[in-house]
């Protein structure tokens, strides 16, 4: 492992050693993994199936992005392919489970609004037929002016895509901002999992705003020339041509309602960098539903010539959040700009721009990542800014002290022999990954010193994992478990491939032990937000068909010491995967027709004369064939004839396996019942806090209380006290549910469904335990449970309950 020392950093990190016995169990594994990493053990990247083949070639810069809700977007020449990673608990296959959708490119070309339509048409004809070649040729060859191209190839496909933080759309998931090759910027949401919906066209809205302002950024601006002037025609296009866009973190403010109550309102910012170096900062109210959710739009002049990339700088100091925009230039400079937003309360920014790199060294800034870290020596928060410049990585460490803002910067050299084509970062531990087109990936691990930091880096050769490949982009998963790579075939025997097949392939960056340790020590305590880690655990259990002993013991300790339901959900996940690993795989493909049945039908069909002896002989032959198919699958017939005794012992050995399956199933039901009771207690708590005496709600309160009290073995004093207060408030009223078909009472005897006396069955909502007596309802992402839709009559506290995730797997509900 090589170490790249920083120009401003000195010394080496202090490693503390202690003369103690190594702890047992999970803690020892975590410390061994950390010691191995510090000792310089090479990262072993393992291929993870399947490889997803793309229908079209990739387009744009940084074509790969991985969202916080575990969706990978790939910008291609015809669409954005979206690959959603799922941690499937219903199937026994060892491959990664991926749900694939796509955002298609618009069919019509995008023409930027630079003036009235009639005037624009006249100007276009004038410039295209101009006798001045500097005007006519510039106009005809500029694809911003001519997105359709006519004789030139069409500008279809996507230039860039960016994911919002988690919790921005109506389902609490991520929004996708997409920039097409013809400069159309749109925002999309996946509301029903099968189809992407365009919520807003920001290019059109921004063009209308500029047109209303007569293409002036402020009222004090002097009026420019007319549209007939080619320079003015170019200026109006450049001030609307997006280069990049990036989302900020979610900012929460308080809004005062008419009854003087305060409610938290979330908002998110989208910064759009334009070709003329201006930056438009859009503010959206959450959840983002469309044009009506746009709060404001402010334009900032960056003053950077030929801007190429931007990123948000977000810093927290003394419980005050500060933000700014990091902008890089194609000529080399990098600086942070203040973002003044008066409408956002609790929002702070810089007083003036901060230059991070000012040399015009003609090394274009290709990608910028900002990583929040904690400085162990200075005992404060800090920000690590890394930028890919050619084949080098520029880094800058920012921290605020009593003296002000301290800036340490340098370059990491010797990483790649070719320019860096893609860079990604794991924001949990600050690890940076870079790749060049020759299939080489570098892992850079920041190590703090008493002054600044240095980087230790190691090489990951994808040729050792995938064979000879060329790389076009990389992205790391939210918890750092996987690295997604876009590859095509490399050179074979010194020859380039005839055809290019673009694929998205995955490699592991963590071991099973590291993933298990991170899940147990997680501060997030949400399985859905850690799908990449749970997938590693799932893979291990399905391969070895058992849960490792150290993980069982560590999880039991967590459950005993901590009452969090997160560890119960983790235990349920492990038991479900174990149950699937113990299931016997089907011997034949389920849809394939059986030829044996066809022969039976022919022999037994009317008109075919057959004696009883022939029928008995046929029956015995069929029975022998069936036994061979069942017990000797995958072996030759001669082998099965010789091994008849072991087969009979194996058949007798099915009973212990069935007993184990029943035992695991009983454990699953016990954990599900515990999680159900805990959620019932939460629902009853909400009912008690938000209802008056003898108030009827849509929640079957009395049924939930009776269900909790029906089990004599369930002794929870908190639940009994809560139920006593609720029954006292209900004043002997029961408010039972009635079947909508026959008006009979629906008893609450089952947590999953309600059955009336006439046999009508209704499924129960797992969030409120009301029977869903409608044809339309929502379902958990992993098909664990169902939930009803909120209605306008529901009070706010019930709507809040219905917004919750699945109580078994933390997945969102659609």
């Amino acid at each position: 492992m090589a170490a790249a020392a920083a120009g401003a950093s000195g010394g080496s990190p202090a490693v503390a050693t202690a003369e103690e016995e190594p702890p047992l169990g999970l803690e020892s594994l975590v410390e061994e993994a950390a010691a191995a990493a510090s000792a310089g053990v090479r990262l072993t990247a393992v291929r993870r199936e399947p490889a997803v083949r793309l229908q079209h070639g990739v387009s744009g810069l940084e074509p790969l992005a991985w969202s916080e809700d575990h969706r990978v977007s790939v910008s291609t020449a015809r669409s954005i392919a979206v690959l959603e990673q799922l941690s499937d608990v219903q199937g026994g296959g060892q491959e990664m489970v991926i749900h694939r959708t796509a955002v298609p490119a618009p069919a019509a070309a995008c023409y930027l609004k630079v003036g009235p339509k009639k005037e624009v048409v006249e100007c276009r004809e004038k410039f295209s037929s101009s006798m001045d070649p500097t005007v006519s040729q510039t106009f005809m060859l500029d694809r911003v002016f001519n997105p359709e191209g006519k004789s030139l190839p069409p500008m279809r496909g996507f230039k860039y895509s960016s994911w919002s933080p988690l919790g921005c759309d109506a389902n609490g998931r991520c929004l996708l901002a997409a920039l097409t090759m013809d400069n159309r910027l749109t925002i999309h949401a996946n509301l029903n999992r099968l189809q992407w919906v365009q919520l807003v066209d920001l290019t059109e809205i921004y063009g209308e705003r500029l047109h209303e302002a007569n293409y002036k950024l402020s009222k004090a601006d002097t009026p420019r020339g007319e549209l007939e002037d080619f320079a003015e025609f170019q200026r109006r296009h450049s001030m609307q041509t997006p280069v990049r866009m990036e989302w900020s973190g979610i900012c929460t403010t308080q809004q005062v309602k008419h009854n003087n109550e305060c409610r938290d309102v979330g908002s998110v910012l989208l910064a759009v960098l334009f070709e003329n170096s201006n930056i438009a900062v859009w503010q959206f109210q959450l959840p983002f539903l469309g044009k009506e959710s746009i709060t404001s739009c402010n334009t900032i002049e960056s003053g950077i010539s030929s801007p190429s990339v931007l990123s948000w700088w977000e810093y927290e100091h003394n419980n005050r959040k500060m933000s700014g925009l990091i902008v890089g230039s194609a000529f080399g400079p990098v600086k942070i700009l203040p973002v003044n937003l008066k409408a956002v309360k609790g929002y702070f920014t810089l007083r003036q721009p901060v230059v991070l790199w000012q040399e015009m060294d003609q090394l274009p800034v290709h990608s910028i990542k900002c990583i929040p870290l904690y400085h162990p020596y200075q005992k404060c928060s800090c920000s690590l800014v890394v930028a890919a410049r050619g084949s080098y990585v520029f880094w800058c460490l920012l921290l605020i002290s009593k003296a002000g803002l301290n800036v340490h910067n340098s370059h990491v050299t010797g990483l790649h022999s070719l320019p860096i084509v893609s860079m990604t970062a794991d924001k949990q531990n600050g690890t940076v990954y870079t790749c060049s087109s020759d299939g080489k990936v570098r892992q850079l691990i920041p190590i703090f010193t008493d002054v600044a930091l240095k980087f230790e880096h190691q090489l990951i050769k994808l040729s050792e994992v995938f064979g000879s490949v060329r790389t076009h982009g990389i992205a790391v998963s939210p918890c750092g478990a996987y690295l997604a790579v876009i590859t095509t075939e490399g050179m074979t025997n010194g020859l380039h491939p005839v055809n290019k097949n673009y694929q998205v392939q995955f490699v592991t960056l963590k071991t099973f032990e590291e993933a298990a340790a991170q899940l147990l020590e997680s501060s997030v305590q949400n399985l859905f937000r850690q799908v990449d880690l749970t997938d590693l655990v799932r893979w291990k259990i399905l391969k070895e068909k058992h849960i490792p002993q150290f993980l069982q013991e560590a999880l039991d300790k967590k459950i005993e010491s901590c009452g969090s339901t997160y560890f119960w959900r983790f235990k349920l996940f492990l038991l479900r995967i174990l149950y699937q690993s113990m299931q016997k795989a089907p011997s034949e493909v389920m849809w394939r027709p059986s030829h044996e049945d066809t022969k039976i039908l022919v022999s037994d069909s009317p008109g075919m004369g057959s004696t009883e002896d022939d029928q008995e002989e046929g029956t015995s032959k069929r029975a022998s064939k069936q036994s061979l198919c069942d017990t000797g699958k995958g072996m030759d017939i001669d082998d099965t004839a010789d091994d008849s005794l072991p087969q009979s012992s194996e058949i007798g050995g099915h009973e212990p396996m069935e007993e184990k399956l029943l035992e695991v199933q009983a454990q699953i039901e016990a954990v599900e019942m515990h999680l159900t009771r805990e959620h019932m207690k939460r629902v009853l708590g909400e009912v008690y806090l938000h209802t008056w005496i003898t108030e009827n709600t849509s929640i079957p309160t009395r049924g939930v209380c009776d269900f909790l009290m029906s089990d004599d073995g369930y002794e929870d004093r908190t639940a009994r006290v809560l139920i006593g207060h609720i029954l006292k408030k209900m004043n002997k009223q029961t408010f039972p549910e009635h079947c909508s078909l026959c008006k009979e009472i629906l008893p609450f005897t089952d947590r999953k469904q309600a059955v009336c006396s006439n046999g009508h069955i209704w499924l129960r909502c797992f969030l409120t335990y009301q029977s869903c007596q409608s044809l339309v309802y929502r379902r958990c992402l992993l098909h664990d449970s169902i939930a009803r839709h909120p209605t306008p009559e529901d009070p706010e506290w019930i709507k809040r309950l219905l917004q919750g995730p699945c109580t078994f797997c933390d997945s969102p509900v659609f």
Side-chain angles (χ1 to χ4, degrees):
M1 181 182 290
S9 62
S12 59
V15 180
T17 58
E19 298 296 331
E20 297 180 358
E21 293 184 2
L24 298 175
L26 180 67
E27 292 80 2
S28 62
L29 288 170
V30 175
E31 292 193 359
E32 286 176 8
S38 62
V41 177
R42 186 185 175 196
L43 171 67
T44 303
V46 180
R47 183 174 184 169
R48 185 77 169 99
E49 295 292 347
V52 182
R53 184 171 178 175
L54 302 175
Q55 297 176 347
H56 307 283
V58 297
S59 61
L61 300 173
E62 294 284 353
L64 204 59
W66 205 318
S67 70
E68 292 181 9
D69 59 353
H70 302 277
R71 291 186 284 192
V72 181
S73 63
V74 190
S75 302
T76 70
R78 289 293 181 271
S79 64
I80 294 181
V82 181
L83 314 175
E84 182 177 3
Q85 182 186 10
L86 300 177
S87 189
D88 188 18
V89 295
Q90 309 296 337
Q94 295 185 17
E95 290 187 347
M96 184 187 296
V97 181
I98 293 176
H99 180 257
R100 183 169 180 169
T101 52
V103 181
C110 175
Y111 286 91
L112 302 178
K113 187 176 182 60
V114 294
K117 288 185 178 180
K118 185 177 179 181
E119 187 178 353
V120 170
V121 172
E122 293 175 354
C123 290
R124 292 176 64 85
E125 292 178 355
K126 173 186 175 183
F127 298 144
S128 61
S129 60
S130 174
M131 300 302 293
D132 187 356
T134 59
V135 174
S136 60
Q137 292 185 15
T138 303
F139 175 82
M140 296 300 294
L141 294 176
D142 196 320
R143 300 312 301 271
V144 177
F145 305 149
N146 301 281
E148 288 184 350
K150 294 182 180 179
S151 60
L152 299 175
M155 292 286 289
R156 291 203 63 185
F158 288 86
K159 187 187 302 183
Y160 189 67
S161 63
S162 178
W163 290 99
S164 75
L166 194 64
C168 290
D169 74 348
N171 292 324
R173 303 195 69 183
C174 299
L175 297 168
L176 179 63
L179 177 61
T180 61
M181 297 294 287
D182 56 2
N183 304 306
R184 188 197 303 268
L185 177 57
T186 53
I187 297 178
H188 302 261
N190 183 214
L191 301 178
N192 59 4
R193 291 200 67 232
L194 298 178
Q195 183 182 9
W196 286 86
V197 179
Q198 178 180 312
L199 299 179
V200 70
D201 186 341
L202 293 182
T203 299
E204 181 183 351
I205 297 175
Y206 193 70
E208 292 288 345
R209 293 193 175 211
L210 288 176
H211 181 66
E212 293 174 1
N214 199 17
Y215 298 94
K216 295 188 296 184
L217 295 179
S218 63
K219 295 181 180 179
D221 283 355
T222 57
R224 305 297 178 99
E226 296 297 328
L227 189 59
E228 296 177 354
D229 185 7
F230 188 60
E232 175 66 12
F233 189 81
Q234 287 178 310
R235 185 187 77 87
R236 293 188 184 185
H237 275 88
S238 65
M239 67 192 306
Q240 300 180 65
T241 305
V243 178
R244 288 283 183 96
M245 66 285 181
E246 294 294 342
W247 297 88
S248 73
I250 293 178
C251 180
T252 305
T253 59
Q254 282 195 336
Q255 188 181 61
V256 181
K257 298 167 66 176
H258 296 292
N259 55 358
N260 290 330
E261 290 184 359
C262 291
R263 71 183 185 103
D264 291 335
V265 178
S267 62
V268 68
L269 306 176
L270 178 67
V272 184
L273 177 64
F274 292 101
E275 198 177 64
N276 69 337
S277 77
N278 289 344
I279 301 173
V281 181
W282 298 84
Q283 182 182 359
F284 304 133
Q285 184 175 339
L286 300 180
F288 185 77
L289 303 176
K291 190 175 180 179
E292 64 274 12
S293 300
I294 299 176
T295 305
S296 63
C297 178
N298 300 288
T299 304
I300 304 171
E301 297 185 33
S302 68
I304 288 185
S305 58
S306 187
S308 59
V309 65
L310 88 160
S311 178
W312 281 94
W313 173 67
E314 294 178 328
Y315 186 88
E316 188 169 352
H317 177 67
N318 291 337
N319 295 325
R320 297 178 67 182
K321 293 182 179 180
M322 300 181 65
S323 291
L325 283 169
I326 311 169
V327 184
S329 169
F331 296 144
V334 182
K335 71 176 181 180
I336 303 180
L337 301 174
V339 180
N340 295 307
L341 296 176
K342 298 178 182 179
V344 182
K345 298 178 182 179
Y347 181 92
F348 302 93
T349 187
L350 299 170
R351 294 180 180 176
Q352 58 187 4
V354 177
V355 178
L356 304 182
W357 186 257
Q358 61 181 359
E359 298 294 333
M360 303 278 286
D361 49 14
Q362 304 301 316
L363 286 176
V365 184
H366 172 74
S367 177
I368 295 178
K369 303 293 180 185
C370 183
I371 310 165
L373 296 174
Y374 180 78
H375 203 299
Y377 295 97
Q378 303 293 334
K379 307 294 183 183
C380 65
S381 302
C382 62
S383 296
L384 175 62
V385 179
V386 289
R389 303 179 68 242
S391 58
Y392 313 116
V393 171
F394 166 77
W395 66 266
C396 183
L397 185 65
L398 304 171
L399 57 93
I400 295 178
S401 64
K402 295 180 180 179
L405 181 65
N406 297 330
V407 180
H408 303 270
N409 59 13
S410 184
H411 281 80
V412 183
T413 60
L415 297 176
H416 299 277
S417 57
L418 295 175
I420 296 172
V421 297
S422 184
M423 181 176 69
T424 184
D426 182 0
K427 293 191 176 182
Q428 293 199 348
N429 55 16
T431 305
V432 180
Y433 299 89
T434 61
C435 83
S436 54
S437 60
D438 56 357
K440 294 180 180 178
V441 176
R442 286 280 183 178
Q443 181 193 46
L444 286 81
I445 304 174
I447 298 178
F448 284 98
T449 64
D450 52 353
V451 179
L453 57 79
K454 66 177 183 178
F455 285 91
E456 287 188 353
H457 57 85
Q458 56 180 313
L459 178 64
I460 304 174
K461 290 185 178 181
L462 296 180
S463 59
E464 298 177 357
V465 183
F466 305 127
S468 178
V469 293
R470 293 179 65 85
T471 50
H472 304 270
I474 57 174
V476 68
S477 62
C479 298
Y482 289 111
L483 185 73
V485 189
I486 300 178
T487 63
T488 54
E489 295 86 347
M491 296 182 67
T492 305
N493 298 326
L495 299 175
H496 290 283
V498 178
N499 299 316
K500 281 187 177 181
N501 295 315
Y502 289 87
Q503 289 184 323
V504 179
Q505 307 201 65
F506 300 90
V507 294
T508 62
L509 298 176
K510 292 182 183 291
T511 62
F512 161 75
E513 290 77 13
E514 292 171 336
Q518 194 168 336
L519 284 168
L520 287 172
E521 302 298 330
S522 171
S523 59
V524 178
Q525 296 205 345
N526 186 297
L527 293 177
F528 173 71
R529 298 182 66 175
Q530 304 174 96
V531 166
D532 50 344
L533 296 176
T534 58
D535 185 75
L536 276 177
V537 175
R538 170 181 171 273
W539 189 22
K540 177 81 170 181
I541 296 175
L542 287 176
K543 281 196 301 184
E544 300 188 354
K545 301 186 183 302
H546 76 277
I547 302 174
Q549 188 66 27
F550 83 91
L551 180 56
Q552 288 188 14
E553 294 175 354
L555 186 57
D556 291 340
K557 281 185 180 179
K558 287 287 185 180
I559 290 175
E560 291 177 3
S561 61
C562 178
S564 173
T565 56
Y566 163 73
F567 298 108
W568 285 93
R569 291 193 294 273
F570 188 25
K571 182 176 181 179
L572 176 63
F573 169 79
L574 296 177
L575 290 172
R576 285 173 165 179
I577 300 302
L578 177 62
Y579 184 81
Q580 292 298 328
S581 69
M582 297 168 65
Q583 291 275 27
K584 183 180 178 182
S587 58
E588 291 186 358
V589 182
M590 301 301 293
W591 56 264
R592 184 174 297 165
S594 174
H595 299 289
E596 303 295 333
D597 296 339
T598 309
K599 293 179 181 178
I600 295 170
L601 289 173
V602 170
S603 63
D604 294 340
S605 62
M608 296 292 292
S610 60
T611 60
E612 293 182 0
D613 297 337
D614 295 336
Q615 290 179 1
E616 290 177 1
E617 184 180 356
T619 305
S620 63
K621 287 181 179 179
R622 288 193 299 271
S624 63
K625 287 182 180 179
Q626 185 66 29
S627 64
L628 285 175
C629 290
D630 291 341
T631 59
K633 198 70 181 175
M635 296 185 294
D636 294 335
I637 297 179
D638 296 337
D639 296 337
T640 56
D642 294 338
D643 297 338
S644 57
L645 286 177
Q647 283 179 16
S648 62
S649 65
E650 287 176 6
I651 293 173
H654 283 304
E655 295 180 1
M657 180 58 70
E658 291 179 358
E659 292 178 0
K660 290 180 181 179
L661 281 172
L662 292 175
E663 181 183 350
V664 174
Q665 192 171 3
Q667 293 179 7
I668 291 174
E669 292 176 357
V671 176
E672 286 182 351
M673 183 58 70
H674 175 82
L675 291 172
T676 300
R677 287 168 176 161
E678 291 299 313
H679 186 67
M680 283 181 173
K681 286 164 56 179
R682 183 195 166 205
V683 172
L684 291 178
E686 294 287 335
V687 170
Y688 179 74
L689 290 175
H690 296 96
T691 56
W692 298 95
I693 296 177
T694 65
E695 181 180 353
N696 187 13
T697 64
S698 60
I699 297 175
T701 308
R702 185 59 184 260
V704 174
C705 294
D706 293 342
F707 183 83
L708 282 176
M709 300 292 289
S710 61
D711 188 0
D712 297 333
Y714 178 62
E715 297 181 358
D716 190 332
R717 189 174 182 277
T718 305
R720 293 184 179 275
V721 171
L722 177 62
I723 290 172
H725 285 298
I726 290 176
L727 294 181
K728 185 177 180 181
K729 181 181 283 191
M730 291 184 68
N731 195 17
K732 297 183 180 180
Q733 296 291 330
T734 57
F735 301 119
E737 291 183 291
H738 294 273
C739 177
S740 61
L741 296 178
C742 61
K743 307 305 179 184
E744 291 292 330
I745 293 178
L746 289 173
F748 199 111
T749 56
D750 191 345
R751 58 187 174 90
K752 292 184 179 181
Q753 62 183 15
V755 184
C756 73
S757 58
N758 291 324
H760 300 137
I761 301 176
W762 305 102
L763 298 177
R764 288 198 177 276
C765 169
F766 73 95
L767 293 173
T768 61
Y769 299 103
Q770 181 187 3
S771 58
C772 296
Q773 301 190 45
S774 63
L775 299 177
V776 181
Y777 51 82
R778 300 178 297 156
R779 193 158 193 176
C780 160
L781 182 66
L782 299 182
H783 293 180
D784 254 341
S785 312
I786 70 160
R788 71 176 180 88
H789 286 276
T791 60
E793 296 80 17
D794 289 331
E796 288 296 326
W797 62 275
I798 290 185
K799 291 180 179 178
R800 205 163 46 243
L801 276 175
L802 292 172
Q803 290 175 355
C806 178
T807 55
F808 296 142
C809 61
D810 290 327
S811 297
V813 185
F814 292 90

